[in-house]
Amino acid sequence: MSAVLDHHGHDVHAHGHDDHGDHHAPAGWRRWVFATNHKDIGTLYLLFSFTMLMIGGILALCIRAELFKPGLQFFNPELFNQFTTMHGLIMVFGAIMPAFVGFANWMIRCRSAPATWPSRG
């Protein structure tokens, strides 16, 4: 095994391959806004999905309140129909589909990104 030394006598390989000096990962809210890590993106999808699940659940409670007792009117019929439509769309396209994408993105990293391509050298 050979050691590669620079002109000051320090080991060139002493620093990690990923040591880039001034480049630091964003912290705080910038970590989430400028996310490129697959787990951070998957977490964002899951948080969005959970938020939409709560909104869809509130709409479901409004629908159930309207149907609680015959003749009891909390909302006019047009608003009830709108709540039913919004509940279905939000639960399917706002909660279920983003949750699947979030779990898939969280568990399986993206292979199409250049940073994840295996090195050929």
Side-chain angles (χ1 to χ4, degrees), residues 28-49:
W29 63 271
R30 288 189 172 115
R31 172 185 174 192
W32 299 104
V33 173
F34 304 116
T36 56
N37 182 4
H38 68 99
K39 289 195 177 192
D40 289 346
I41 293 171
T43 302
L44 288 172
Y45 269 105
L46 291 173
L47 287 173
F48 174 76
S49 176

Side-chain angles (χ1 to χ4, degrees), residues 9 30 33 35 42-43 48 54 56 62 72 77-78 81 113 119 121:
R30 288 189 172 115
V33 173
T43 302
F48 174 76
M54 292 295 113
C62 292
L72 188 63
E78 293 85 12
N81 289 339
S119 61

